[in-house]
Amino acid sequence: MRQDGNADGRMKGNFLERDYFYDRNMKKDENVAIAGNCLEQLAAIIMKNTYPGKIDYYAMAIEDLSYHVRFDRDGYLTRSALKCNEAGLGRKPWDIRKQVVVCNREEAIGALEHSLDAYGYAIVRTTDGHLEFSKNYNEAPDAGNSFDYKNFPEMGHVFLIIGEDEENYYYIEQPSEINRKYYIHAEGRRDIGMYPKEKFYRAFELYLGLFFVEFHEEYMDHDGELGQRILQQSKVNFRNNYASRVPENDSFSILGGRAALVRIKDMLEQGKFILDRKVFHPSVQAYGSHTIGEEFLNGLTSILNRREAMEGYLRNQWQESDVLIQDIALWKQAKEKVLYQCSVGGKTLKKEDIRFEEIAQAEERLLGT
């Protein structure tokens, strides 16, 4: 069983003993949660298991507070519907490089094994519709024949393979992305999944994207001015309706900044927030298992994480912002309300349910001036 190594840049220790999104007692690591999207959160996991000592996660997690919204031709939220923008001003403590193998089983397996040998991990993007533990798993008998690699985007959801034994790979995945029907976890670690290698290979032989994290230790601490610079850029992006993500095809539209906020308001007024409605997945050009409620919650979490990271950073720099604290409180109340509505069954969300007018006013005070 490959478990550990002592080469520079590797995660340290036995992979069954490390902390990832959670520790072995299932206590969530909030420092990982605020790191950003799924790729950035995995980078934070790798970093905390590579570099010992205290790390200022607030300083590393601050980024653009503005956002964009993605919706389908019928005006409903899509998969990965609500995301924060990227300001492009931060000195990231890491760089990401990638390797892609398409329709080559042996090359894909070799690339994965090399990543595990060299780094002790593999950040993986693949055809998750072929993986039973994924929420995107397609159980149709002919699902294995329907993958169109030409239209499969290189950037998208990723998970982390952390080790192996003779028959299985062990992996870390966000709980919201797991299909509990097929999920098998390692003994004593509910947060570490295990899945047969041969089943992984059915996906990898179609498409395997590997991402590698290269750390810059000199950038792990930011200067005191960076937060104000990013805050000012967030305001510019909000006022200019900026969206850092561009459409991948013509099956959906994207609006950014203030226009995104207005669009969400219109969707609430038009009854488009049907929480249990399945969403369109642009990458596979089909409706999947994720719902509008889940996608909206993911977006609210992203917005909250960015604001809480900025608030923590400014607080550490003795630059507290009452406007930001008030804005966080309103977004947090909205998330709690949506969580509650999702837990009691499908319902069409209205703007008064989440006090949207107050949120819009708070956003104008924070970013619109």
Side-chain angles (χ1 to χ4, degrees), residues 191-338:
D191 60 321
I192 299 177
M194 51 190 296
Y195 194 65
K197 290 181 177 180
E198 281 300 323
K199 290 188 175 182
F200 265 121
Y201 295 157
R202 295 172 192 171
F204 296 165
E205 67 186 8
L206 295 173
Y207 185 99
L208 176 65
L210 294 173
F211 294 81
F212 306 93
V213 185
E214 298 176 346
F215 293 101
H216 303 292
E217 295 183 60
E218 68 272 23
Y219 291 162
M220 288 186 180
D221 290 317
H222 289 303
D223 60 78
E225 296 180 358
L226 183 61
Q228 291 298 333
R229 289 172 59 206
I230 290 180
L231 187 56
Q232 291 305 313
Q233 187 63 46
S234 300
K235 293 182 177 183
V236 171
N237 290 344
F238 180 78
R239 293 195 297 264
N240 291 343
N241 300 327
Y242 173 71
S244 60
R245 181 172 55 173
V246 297
E248 297 152 357
N249 53 57
D250 60 358
S251 63
F252 60 89
S253 300
I254 292 176
L255 290 174
R258 183 184 278 122
L261 195 65
V262 173
R263 181 67 189 185
I264 293 171
K265 172 179 174 291
D266 292 342
M267 294 168 72
L268 287 165
E269 291 177 341
Q270 295 165 9
K272 297 289 187 180
F273 272 84
I274 305 172
L275 297 178
D276 60 354
R277 188 182 192 273
K278 298 294 189 292
V279 298
F280 182 74
H281 197 317
S283 295
V284 297
Q285 292 290 290
Y287 285 86
S289 59
H290 292 81
T291 64
I292 286 177
E294 290 169 334
E295 293 304 320
F296 193 42
L297 277 173
N298 287 340
L300 292 175
T301 299
S302 173
I303 288 171
L304 269 170
N305 286 345
R306 287 283 178 89
R307 281 152 176 73
E308 289 176 342
M310 179 66 78
E311 192 277 327
Y313 172 82
L314 294 176
R315 178 167 21 90
N316 287 348
Q317 297 290 329
W318 303 96
Q319 302 176 37
E320 292 190 42
S321 169
D322 291 339
V323 173
L324 179 57
I325 292 171
Q326 293 166 6
D327 190 66
I328 289 171
L330 287 167
W331 283 111
K332 190 172 293 185
Q333 290 172 10
K335 179 181 177 180
E336 291 171 353
K337 182 67 173 182
V338 177

